[in-house]
Amino acid sequence: MDAVRYMLAVGCFFIVGGRLGDVFGRRPVLPTGTALFAAWTAARTLVLLAVAAVSGVLFVLRERTARHPLVDLRLFRDVSFDLITTMGSVFNMGYAVTVFIATLYLQGVRGLSAPAAGTVFLAPAVVVALAGPTGPVGTPVAAANGGRGV
């Protein structure tokens, strides 16, 4: 079992390294505006993005040969899985942007405080929690309509 934990730790190390390199590599680029090209070509940015790319490649190579992978890459051969994952990501990004813009509107235009603007989103969050596929309302509905796990 220790060997399995070690292999999972190696995969975690590569994926975390990839994300950290990606996030910190792009961080100085985002707020620069007119100096965008200079920020993208800065040595720090290029090194961190290279760390992200190498970590990502090492993660995929490691997961392909691992006996107990963090992510079973065979999942991505299933077209329905790929489509639902892509669509879920697109909708989640749209939802996040909507919440962000709505919060700015509530604070800037309507004059609500930050806690009050956050409280506005409690009702939709409760509805999603109850009616989602794992909630007390959504589970029977999904079961009655032939919902299946991946």
Side-chain angles (χ1 to χ4, degrees), residues 26-33:
R26 286 190 286 154
R27 186 171 163 209
V29 173
L30 297 177
T32 57

Side-chain angles (χ1 to χ4, degrees), residues 61-79:
L61 291 175
R62 179 71 203 113
E63 294 301 295
R64 290 178 72 188
T65 60
R67 206 168 59 181
H68 302 286
L70 283 172
V71 178
D72 188 359
L73 298 177
R74 291 177 297 175
L75 275 174
F76 296 104
R77 293 182 190 154
D78 183 6
V79 176

Side-chain angles (χ1 to χ4, degrees), residues 80-146:
S80 62
F81 175 80
D82 293 343
L83 288 174
I84 198 70
T85 302
T86 302
M87 292 307 297
S89 297
V90 168
F91 285 118
N92 281 330
M93 286 184 273
Y95 181 74
V97 168
T98 301
V99 169
F100 179 72
I101 298 298
T103 304
L104 291 178
Y105 166 77
L106 290 171
Q107 290 178 8
V109 177
R110 301 285 302 265
L112 291 166
S113 66
T119 304
V120 168
F121 293 102
L122 280 178
V126 168
V127 169
V128 168
L130 293 175
T134 58
V137 175
T139 301
V141 172
N145 290 306

Side-chain angles (χ1 to χ4, degrees), residues 25-42 45-46:
R26 286 190 286 154
R27 186 171 163 209
V29 173
L30 297 177
T32 57
T34 57
L36 190 59
F37 182 75
W40 274 111
T41 57
T45 301
L46 294 176

